Amino acid sequence: AAEDGNYVPLLTYRTGPYAGSGIHIANGMNDYLQMLNERDGGIGGVKIVIEECETGYNAQKGVECYEATKGKNAVVYNPYSTGITLQLIPKAAVDKIPVLSMGYGLSAAADGNTFPWVFNVPDTYWDGASVAIKYIGEQEGGLENLKGKKIGYIFLDAGYGREPIPLFEQMAEKFGFELVKYAVPGKEMQNQSSQWLNVRRDRPDYMIMWGWGAMSPTAIKEAVKIRYPMDKFIGVWWSAGDDDAAAGGEGAKGYKAMNFSGVGSDYPAIQDIKKLVVDAGKSQTDPESIGSTLYNRGVLNSVIIAEGIRAAQQLTGKKVITGEDMRAGLETLDLTNERLAELGLTGFAHPMKVTCEDHAGSHPVFIQQWDGEKWAVASGWIEPMKDLVRPLLEAAAKDYAEKNAPWPKRTEACPN
Amino acid sequence: MNAIISNNELPQDDFAVEREDLLRVDNVSLSFGGVKAITNISFDIKKGEIRAIIGPNGAGKTSMLNVINGFYHPQEGTITWQGKVRRKMKPYEAASQGIARTFQNVALFKGMTTLDNIMSGRSLKMRKNFFLQMAWIGPARTEEIEHRKKVEEIIDFLEIEAIRKTPVGRLPYGLQKRVELGRALAMEPDLLLLDEPMAGMNLEEKEDMSRFILDVNQEFGTTIALIEHDMGVVMDLSDRVVVLDYGKKIADGAPGDVQASQAVIDAYLGVSH
Amino acid sequence: MLYDIFIDPFVQMVEMPDFFLQVLWEGFVAGILYALIALGFVLIFKASGVFNFAQGIMVVFAGLTLVGLHENGVPAFLALILTIGVMGVLAYGIERVVMRPLVNQPDIILLMATIGLTYFLIGFGEFVFGGEPKRMIAEELGLPTGSTAFEMGERGLVILQHIDIAAAVIAIIMVTALGIFFNKTRIGRALRAVADDHQAALSVGISLNQIWAIVWFAAGLVALATGIMWGARSDVSFALEIVAFKALPVLILGGFTSIPGAIIGGLIIGFGEKIGEIYWGGLVGGGIESWLAYIIALIFLLFRPQGLFGEKIIERV
Amino acid sequence: MTKPNDAQTVDAGAETILSVNNIEVIYDHVILVLKGVSLTIPKGGIVALLGANGAGKTTTLKAVSNLLRAERGEVTKGKILFDGDEVQSLSPNELVRRGCIQVMEGRHCFGHLSIEENLLTGAYTRKDGAAAVRADLEMVYNYFPRLRERRQSQAGYTSGGEQQMCAIGRALMSRPKMILLDEPSMGLAPQLVEEIFEIVKQLNDNEGVSFLLAEQNTNVALRYATYGYIMESGRIVLDGDAKALRENEDVKEFYLGVGGEGRKSFKNVKHYKRRKRWLA
Amino acid sequence: MFYREAGQFKTSYEADQSLFPIRQDRIGLAVILLVAFIVIPLTANDFFLTSIMIPFLVFSLAAIGLNVLTGFAGQLSLGSGAFMGVGAYAAYKLTSIFPDVNVIFLVLVSGVFSAGVGAIFGLPSLRIKGLYLAVTTLAAQFFLEWCFIRIPWLYNYNASGAIEIPKREMFGVTISGAEATPIARYFVVLVITVLIAGLIANVMRGRIGRSWMMIRDMDIAAELMGIRPLQTKLLAFAVSSYICGVAGAMMVFFWLNAAEPSSYSITLSFQILFMVILGGLGSIAGSFMGAAFIWILPVFLKFVPGAIGIEIGAETVEHLTFMIVGALIIFFLIVEPHGFARLWQIGKQKLRVWPFPY
Ligand SMILES: Nc1ncnc2c1ncn2[C@@H]1O[C@H](COP(=O)(O)OP(=O)(O)OP(=O)(O)O)[C@@H](O)[C@H]1O
Ligand SMILES: Nc1ncnc2c1ncn2[C@@H]1O[C@H](COP(=O)(O)OP(=O)(O)OP(=O)(O)O)[C@@H](O)[C@H]1O
Ligand SMILES: [Mg+2]
Ligand SMILES: [Mg+2]
């Protein structure tokens, strides 16, 4: 299928317990790529061959999708599940197909020297965690005012939610605040009353949430129930869905979340999607969900894929590229404001750049706030605390390589 | 001809004097909540005899067997096994001491074939450990074959060759009873407890079964305790009979005497046979 | 350490009575909600000895049907009535297609059949309604929203959600109604007979078909009530199916066949779990709720192997 | 099937309550158990079905009461008429409603129900009110006083004989026109066996209930029955008036145990393999 | 006609007790082994090996493990997923503690740990029976799952909370880690599975297998015949957990390469249980058939529409797959409640009498 186009398999989930979040992402990714096909005839004159494979957020099925599609000259994989990402990381180097885990997955993979095949632009979870604390500091009038404060962290009790903990702990020590952790077991996602009772007892000054799927709306509802001040409740970018916040009804007004992709549907490119894809009946997207946070996140993901392909085409001069080409392309990714404007996405994301050393780039993130009906931008771009994050990343990468010894040394040349 | 004495002090007849007790039950009582299943019963079973236990339905016969092989624990009374007073024990301990039984409601292992059911009677006699069994070749197999030979003898003896490989769940009732007897025999017990082995059989089959029971008793010298409602069978086969009614013993003695006893006729036999 | 285990929690309970009351209330509500799920299981188990694995998905299915109909413009109450109808059709279908051909089979086989049913309903439900979570139309159905806070002492506060109160009331009404239906009627006795021995029940003229259709329908209604209540708490989504696992310890603790057992079991688990998690969970890093319920149930079982109100397991030869 | 057979059913319809015409039964789609069995039970008759273990008596009764499906068996050929109607396709409960009930072999009481509840389930199909049911309950207790004593006990814990009485009592509670009794005497004390057959006789005389008895206890069965069939390996091999059967030499020898010289002792039975068979 | 045992006489009990007394069965087995060891490796592509054969074998082994407990010894367990997890985590720890020891050996040893854990959770089975026993195994399931998350030592304090499999070699061939070729991993899995299946089949036809079945079919009678219930049940728990543990270790070492705690969730337990019931309780061949049905059928269904060029959305395929699998489960249960193994037997029986029915 892929001789005449660039084959992009999309591992998505529109079924299972996480479908609520997964559907929007899937729609966003799919629609943008289709729009490119419709509008521009693909990228660099060749079409993009899109194939969705349903994973149900299940690692086994994810691997199965990977195995079934990799042989068709897949150029890149977006697993959309930390579990699947972890399975694919070691395979990426062997099969020579890059893994793009945008804002999730293994944070350590930002170390391009250890993980040449994995990309997690624009940010790692540690970047996110540092932004959250930095923002709280700003609210309090400076990081030094965090001393003596109590910050609660409620998270999905899995690798995903546990990953930021070391950094939080480090920051708690450094800035002198107290960190209180509330683990939500995956099975108890929809049954969080104990955790929130504890929140009520502990009365943390701020709450930070790492939730996904059904966990986020339930947490927001519970927060409303215990009358937690919503403007002191900040979610990671994966807890920033419109449905998540809407679940809390009136009371959810004021809830905040980090984000790195644009809010709303007023971007020309998104209007193109609406016109050429959704209104043309070529997608399953509910028109109302266009412009929602997770939908736009999916779009941004596809923007990165598309830009990666374009970069690879320029680098190699080929039209139909391979996974190896794509890897090189992604490593030269440089999404400037000008380029964003060309794409019809001015202000949709912060400019981002990937280097051979840094596959995440620790790009700035902004905070958005729920006004009871939709999200509104509530802050400027906030830089992650690179000085804290980067050493942690490198240590983690080293640790990973050691534990998985013999981990292959980087042999891939740096394309720039 | 003598009157049946319905208390515990039985005159020792010749038969009893000759042989020693295999099992004695003394003043045993058993009740479930309000239901008294057994009230103060004593009797003995001598080595080598066929001892029948009869009585109307719900008299406590099955419960008595359950007491003997340790499935029920009587509230009062003692049980003496081969001269030693037995402590409260688990059924599997009773089994390892040499007590085997069949059940009133056939209790075969439904998912297994006839052969396996009878082989299962040999469990206690087989020793080879897990790892040897895993390897199969060698000691475990030798052992298995050795026991298989014994089992084949029993199969032969009971004339059930044809159903060797049939899952027992599909067998008609009468054959199931026979397999069950085979399974108990495979244990080579000292005492064999048979709970209505001939229920649901026609005459011909009862004759066969009688023959088996007599053969077991005579050829292997196995002591047998037998519950049966067919008086013909009881009278013909047993050496001594104990009669229970409402959990109490109402008679004990030679078959002829028991059959003639008015108490037994009233409680159990109805019209005389 | 010992202090943390044996003294501190109690000190806390006394020092913050408002909070303790809140914990108890949450435990109560959780218990009631678990009991609702368990009730669905009990009905079917009681009537056929079948452990209905599909109860969880029936909850989702009922909730989605209700919300889905409403989304398509059907007024809330009409949607409710239509959903009841759908559950009736489902019950009839299950009886006809699954139960009837499998009469007199071992329990585990019937369990497996309900698992097949689960698969089917998941696929069918997602096919029809999509995988997105949906908001329960609690308000439209006239269920109370909002909450009442009771002041206690200076800064104490006990917050009662109205929807939770409604859940408790509905659960209690259902349990009473079903309890009366199954214990005081001819059908109730027949149900228990069926659970004991299908074949014998057939032989005395009990119509298994009719009985099963009735109980599956009843279970469908319970599922609907459960779906509404749980849906109002979180959302109606396929993730709710997981919550159904919580019914297992409740069921086992209460005894598979007892309707009051479902409620009492639910409350024990609800209280135990909340108190355990809040006052002791922190010692081991929290999240012990995921297994505490099972351990509580296990401890009870060691003393009563048939559950608190279950029918005694008959052992006799 | 032959012509006469058909003709017989047509004109026998008037006084026949149950007629089984040349049925075949297969279990599990492969095991052929009944190979063409025909029986006729006249209204108000007591018919005994005799035969060795595994002959197919139970299967025949289940075929009539339509319980085979639950055992993965099916009637593949032949016809069964009850009260003039074909009944193969009826559900068991419909049959009970029409007055044909089976007492299953091996008791099958509802273990978790008390004896009294067990008896009451027997009245499930009745619509004639609680008072009538109570009266019948009283009647059953009068037939089986033992049951009255144990009325509150869980059936699962009662003795084998008590369960047997319970199963029979339960069937009586449905006020049937016809009872299929599978080995009623199994496990009952001799006195009770007589009593049960007396009850059968009473019901037959007073209420006109018809009976089909599968019995091993040939002796008693032929004393109470009016007609008998003898089955072997899935076929009827002999039938006739009970009296005639009792006189039949073969029956005498193999089923009644009275050879030429009276009853022989079980002790003296010779150990010999299979005896003569009607069918080779 | 073709399937006749007539004319095959056994002259010794040895011959009669061999695993496959009938010649056609022996030939059949030989053909299957030939295909598994020679034809498949020669012809199959990577997808077939990695996504179908390896998982199928791993699941078959796990199903055999659960079958020992549930099918043979009659103790219902919903904890097999967690016991598999114990094996996986144990093997992972062992490889990091003993990096130089052969990984296959470590995988086989890891089962010992899950055997131990299994036996502990088997203790209540003495008192608790039937469905109620499910609660103990569920407690095991959830408690162990919680441990996999909460005891970072188990996953070497990885930030991701997952275990990742390092590269290991045997005889110069890489057999674990991402670089291991599907063929190499396939052979490892195949050999271990066939070996254990064979050994367990041996156990099943001997005293111990019988004692398990006795407990299953009628525990009271078994006890009255001298079987010690606790010992026998615990042995079943231990053996079953051992096998599940090895399967769990193989699952991560030779199939997935990395595993999170959620890989060993209750869903896995149920999946294995479905395989066992559908395949046939108490049948080793059935375990293979059940695994094939539950694992291969959905994969097959999922990729069929694409392969024959029908354009339907990925999630629609998934929905349809669920519906079809669900309907087929019910269908097969109605056709033969005792699973594929029995269906197979009946099929053979029909073949035996073919062409004359009955
Ligand atoms: N469910 C079943 N599946 C397969 N075969 C069966 C089944 N039930 C009975 N059979 C077979 O059918 C034949 C007739 O059995 P049936 O129970 O009707 O005999 P019966 O005359 O009632 O014997 P009994 O006097 O022992 O009760 C037997 O050979 C038996 O093995
Ligand atoms: N486990 C038990 N729990 C309660 N009652 C019991 C139990 N076991 C036996 N019984 C009662 O004890 C009495 C004696 O029962 P048992 O089974 O010993 O009678 P039986 O003499 O064998 O009668 P049958 O000839 O009918 O088999 C019965 O009334 C029975 O209901
Ligand atoms: Mg008895
Ligand atoms: Mg019979």
Side-chain angles (χ1 to χ4, degrees), chain A residues 14-21 23-24 27 54 155 157 162 181-203 213-214 217-218 221-222 224-227 243-244 246-247 284 286 289, chain C residues 12 16 18-19 22-23 26-27 30 34 126 130-133 135-136 147-149 155-159 161 164 230-243 245-246 273-274 277-279 285-291:
Chain A
R14 296 167 183 272
T15 66
Y18 297 88
S21 305
I23 288 174
H24 298 300
N27 284 337
E54 174 68 35
F155 60 97
D157 200 357
R162 301 193 79 81
K181 290 175 286 191
Y182 307 97
V184 178
K187 277 178 294 297
E188 306 283 331
M189 279 194 309
Q190 301 205 298
N191 189 19
Q192 297 175 30
S193 64
S194 308
Q195 285 80 4
W196 288 93
L197 274 171
N198 274 329
V199 170
R200 200 187 133 185
R201 173 185 55 189
D202 302 339
R203 297 168 194 269
T218 311
K221 278 193 170 182
E222 291 284 343
V224 172
K225 237 170 84 175
I226 67 154
R227 306 182 173 186
D243 297 341
D244 298 343
Q284 333 179 6
D286 171 9
S289 72
Chain C
Q12 276 191 38
M16 300 211 296
D18 62 315
F19 182 69
Q22 185 81 57
V23 171
E26 291 294 333
Y34 294 156
E126 291 200 338
E132 283 153 284
R135 200 183 53 83
M136 180 37 74
S147 58
T148 309
R155 44 163 222 170
L157 205 61
V158 178
I159 306 172
Q161 301 293 323
D164 291 346
W230 272 98
R233 286 207 119 194
S234 43
D235 264 333
V236 193
S237 75
F238 282 86
L240 254 190
E241 202 217 339
I242 310 176
V243 173
F245 282 122
K246 263 298 163 57
E273 201 178 73
K274 291 286 175 265
E277 173 77 45
I278 302 232
Y279 292 103
I288 61 172
E289 242 179 319
S290 59
W291 48 265

Side-chain angles (χ1 to χ4, degrees), chain A residues 317-358:
Chain A
K318 295 196 271 189
K319 286 195 161 170
V320 177
I321 59 162
T322 65
E324 285 179 270
D325 303 332
M326 182 68 175
R327 196 205 68 78
L330 282 172
E331 235 169 29
T332 60
L333 183 81
D334 186 5
L335 202 57
T336 58
N337 270 328
E338 295 74 61
R339 182 64 194 148
L340 278 171
E342 274 171 52
L343 291 174
L345 290 167
T346 315
F348 188 73
H350 193 275
M352 47 183 106
K353 185 170 164 54
V354 176
T355 63
C356 293
E357 295 77 48
D358 193 346

Side-chain angles (χ1 to χ4, degrees), chain B residues 170-183:
Chain B
R170 294 193 197 167
L171 294 177
Y173 193 80
L175 278 181
Q176 293 195 7
K177 288 248 155 194
R178 211 185 287 184
V179 175
E180 210 181 20
L181 176 66
R183 186 179 69 180

Side-chain angles (χ1 to χ4, degrees), chain B residues 30-38 53-66 71-72 104-105 195-196 227-229 244 246-247 268, chain C residues 312 314-317, chain D residues 107 115 146 149-150 153-165 186-189 192:
Chain B
L30 172 75
S31 60
F32 302 98
V35 184
K36 284 199 156 182
I38 300 177
I53 303 175
I54 60 172
N57 296 113
K61 305 178 296 295
T62 302
S63 303
M64 198 64 231
L65 292 199
N66 282 338
F71 185 62
Y72 287 165
Q104 183 171 4
N105 294 321
D195 198 346
E196 302 195 15
I227 297 178
E228 187 45 63
H229 284 304
L244 308 184
Y246 276 84
Y268 181 57
Chain C
K312 212 158 170 221
I314 292 182
E315 292 201 333
R316 224 209 104 126
V317 280
Chain D
R107 295 153 198 145
I115 293 284
R146 181 85 204 173
E149 282 165 43
R150 311 285 280 119
S153 313
Q154 277 199 330
Y157 284 110
T158 56
S159 84
E162 288 160 351
Q163 292 185 15
Q164 183 70 33
M165 299 179 225
M186 181 163 61
L188 293 185
L192 251 169

Side-chain angles (χ1 to χ4, degrees), chain B residues 21-252:
Chain B
D21 282 353
L22 182 67
L23 179 105
R24 280 196 63 80
V25 175
D26 289 298
N27 307 97
V28 161
S29 297
L30 172 75
S31 60
F32 302 98
V35 184
K36 284 199 156 182
I38 300 177
T39 319
N40 197 23
I41 290 186
S42 310
F43 68 96
D44 57 359
I45 299 175
K46 306 264 176 214
K47 250 187 199 140
E49 73 172 328
I50 297 180
R51 184 72 147 127
I53 303 175
I54 60 172
N57 296 113
K61 305 178 296 295
T62 302
S63 303
M64 198 64 231
L65 292 199
N66 282 338
V67 165
I68 292 176
N69 66 6
F71 185 62
Y72 287 165
H73 301 290
Q75 281 88 3
E76 279 163 51
T78 54
I79 298 164
T80 314
W81 171 250
Q82 293 190 329
K84 280 202 244 26
V85 174
R86 212 170 75 173
R87 63 189 170 78
K88 185 176 167 181
M89 58 161 61
K90 293 267 193 257
Y92 59 81
E93 293 172 283
S96 62
Q97 288 182 352
I99 303 179
R101 74 175 281 186
T102 65
F103 303 86
Q104 183 171 4
N105 294 321
V106 182
L108 284 172
F109 304 120
K110 288 227 171 56
M112 298 156 76
T113 60
T114 302
L115 183 67
D116 277 337
N117 263 283
I118 302 181
M119 279 298 279
S120 72
R122 310 281 314 165
S123 298
L124 273 173
K125 304 219 174 317
M126 296 171 77
R127 292 269 159 266
K128 296 294 171 276
N129 69 24
F130 183 77
F131 295 98
L132 287 173
Q133 297 224 344
M134 233 160 55
W136 191 249
I137 309 181
R141 184 159 80 162
T142 324
E143 182 184 51
E144 188 84 12
I145 287 166
E146 189 182 300
H147 287 278
R148 170 80 188 263
K149 281 191 187 122
K150 276 261 164 26
V151 166
E152 289 290 345
E153 275 166 27
I154 292 168
I155 289 180
D156 208 40
F157 173 71
L158 294 176
E159 297 170 7
I160 45 180
E161 297 91 339
I163 53 163
R164 213 189 254 127
K165 294 279 170 75
T166 318
V168 290
R170 294 193 197 167
L171 294 177
Y173 193 80
L175 278 181
Q176 293 195 7
K177 288 248 155 194
R178 211 185 287 184
V179 175
E180 210 181 20
L181 176 66
R183 186 179 69 180
L185 286 181
M187 291 172 73
E188 297 180 17
D190 296 326
L191 175 60
L192 178 59
L193 311 171
L194 301 176
D195 198 346
E196 302 195 15
M198 296 178 207
M201 295 195 172
N202 67 12
L203 183 80
E204 193 183 32
E205 291 153 347
K206 278 182 183 169
E207 286 176 354
D208 285 349
M209 201 57 143
S210 305
R211 196 62 249 161
F212 297 140
I213 293 174
L214 287 170
D215 284 352
V216 170
N217 179 249
Q218 284 154 10
E219 284 175 27
F220 306 147
T222 309
T223 311
I224 291 172
L226 170 74
I227 297 178
E228 187 45 63
H229 284 304
D230 184 322
M231 286 318 289
V233 172
V234 171
M235 292 304 133
D236 292 350
L237 297 191
S238 59
D239 296 313
R240 291 190 301 155
V241 182
V242 53
V243 189
L244 308 184
D245 183 27
Y246 276 84
K248 300 201 185 68
K249 185 164 94 172
I250 57 167
D252 190 349

Side-chain angles (χ1 to χ4, degrees), chain A residues 12 14-15 52-55 59-61 63-65 67-68 70 82-84 86-87 90-91 94 106 126 157-160 162-163 183 187 284 399-400 403-406 408, chain E residues 46-47 50-51 59 92 142 145 149-150 155-160 162 164-168 178-179 251 255-258 260 263 268 271 295 299 302-303 314-315 318-319 322:
Chain A
T12 54
R14 296 167 183 272
T15 66
E52 274 193 42
C53 186
E54 174 68 35
T55 68
Q60 291 167 14
K61 285 195 189 158
V63 173
E64 190 184 301
C65 280
E67 296 291 342
K70 74 174 185 194
T82 303
I84 303 175
L86 291 174
Q87 320 257 12
K91 293 189 202 279
V94 178
L106 184 72
W126 286 330
D157 200 357
Y160 158 61
R162 301 193 79 81
E163 198 169 83
K187 277 178 294 297
Q284 333 179 6
D399 186 48
Y400 182 98
K403 280 184 186 141
N404 290 286
Chain E
D46 284 4
F47 173 72
T50 348
S51 287
F59 281 131
Y92 176 69
F142 291 119
E145 231 181 284
I149 300 175
R150 286 313 164 79
Y155 47 87
N156 285 345
Y157 303 94
N158 286 339
S160 58
E164 277 129 23
I165 301 312
K167 179 180 158 190
R168 290 285 185 273
E179 281 161 62
M251 175 167 152
W255 172 29
L256 291 175
N257 270 323
E260 301 175 288
S263 311
L268 181 65
Q271 219 171 10
W295 181 258
V299 177
K302 187 166 169 177
F303 296 110
E315 82 279 16
E318 184 79 2
H319 299 155
F322 265 96

Side-chain angles (χ1 to χ4, degrees), chain A residues 258-278:
Chain A
M258 291 180 262
N259 196 358
F260 51 71
S261 50
V263 178
S265 56
D266 297 338
Y267 305 91
I270 294 195
Q271 286 305 319
D272 285 344
I273 294 179
K274 194 163 169 352
K275 195 166 72 220
L276 296 171
V277 181
V278 179

